[in-house]
Amino acid sequence: MVKGYFLLVTLSLPPFISRLAEGVEKETLVWIILIMALPFLALLALFIFRITRTAKPFKLTRLFKKVKLEILLEKDKPLRPQLLTMTIRNTGKNEADIDAPVLEFRKIWTKRKFKLNGINGNAIYPMYIGSGKAHQLRIETSTFHQYDRSIKSFYWARILVSDVDGRTWKSNSVKLRKSLVT
């Protein structure tokens, strides 16, 4: 056991580098370090480029403009509902410009998301909601069951809403069916 630790200490990186650098000049070591740092700097530059390309522009007015939305999801039956009703109510003083809401079906470890674009194939989002106004959308679950049969086995549903500035809100979770957990 002691021999294993001795071997580990003798082969560790700082002593190995110091033994290797004994016969090498300082200028050569600087060039080796610079050459080894180039791939790291290239990866760092690529990472920063990707972040800045996908980031939304920051607006100073966003800090002062508070938007308060209430998102409510209701169902028509206690279990296995046929109709879900989404209500978005603007309770704040400022108007809201919302993007298309997302319907999220959840199991214990699985999530499935669907973007709700509009009514009868007509796109109604992004939508402007003034203060004190409300928007209501009826969602038939059978359309999602026709698209993917495995959604019938999911336990919960909720709505995720975001505005054009990037703020997000979540609705209450609605139980779709009984499980061993709930």
Side-chain angles (χ1 to χ4, degrees):
M1 185 80 167
V2 175
K3 291 179 183 178
Y5 284 122
F6 180 73
L7 182 64
L8 184 67
V9 169
T10 58
L11 293 178
S12 66
L13 196 57
F16 178 73
I17 291 175
S18 65
R19 277 192 229 131
L20 183 66
E22 284 176 357
V24 181
E25 296 177 4
K26 289 183 180 180
E27 292 177 12
T28 310
L29 285 176
V30 170
W31 279 108
I32 290 173
I33 291 171
L34 286 176
I35 290 172
M36 292 177 71
L38 284 177
F40 174 74
L41 293 175
L43 287 175
L44 183 65
L46 181 67
F47 178 73
I48 291 172
F49 174 72
R50 284 186 179 174
I51 286 177
T52 56
R53 188 181 63 191
T54 59
K56 292 184 177 179
F58 181 74
K59 297 178 182 174
L60 190 59
T61 58
R62 182 177 174 211
L63 293 175
F64 302 113
K65 184 179 173 184
K66 289 285 187 181
V67 176
K68 294 181 183 177
L69 294 179
E70 277 184 12
I71 293 93
L72 182 64
L73 186 63
E74 300 170 334
K75 56 186 180 175
D76 60 343
K77 297 190 304 187
L79 294 175
R80 299 195 186 272
Q82 299 296 319
L83 187 70
L84 298 173
T85 306
M86 173 193 71
T87 306
I88 301 174
R89 184 171 287 115
N90 188 352
T91 59
K93 296 177 184 175
N94 297 318
E95 60 279 346
D97 196 7
I98 61 168
D99 281 334
V102 175
L103 178 63
E104 178 185 64
F105 291 100
R106 290 187 302 131
K107 262 188 182 179
I108 296 171
W109 291 291
T110 310
K111 292 181 183 179
R112 187 71 197 266
K113 295 181 181 182
F114 293 95
K115 193 175 219 180
L116 305 173
N117 290 326
I119 302 169
N120 297 329
N122 298 326
I124 60 172
Y125 298 105
M127 178 181 281
Y128 177 79
I129 299 177
S131 63
K133 304 287 184 189
H135 166 65
Q136 196 170 37
L137 180 67
R138 298 191 190 284
I139 305 162
E140 293 183 20
T141 57
S142 61
T143 57
F144 301 105
H145 298 314
Q146 290 172 359
Y147 182 73
D148 187 4
R149 296 254 181 230
S150 67
I151 292 177
K152 286 186 177 183
S153 65
F154 283 59
Y155 302 129
W156 302 282
R158 71 177 174 183
I159 298 287
L160 308 171
V161 176
S162 64
D163 66 351
V164 294
D165 290 333
R167 293 176 283 237
T168 58
W169 295 271
K170 296 177 185 177
S171 73
N172 56 320
S173 291
V174 172
K175 187 189 298 187
L176 300 175
R177 61 187 292 264
K178 287 216 176 234
S179 68
L180 295 173
V181 178
T182 59

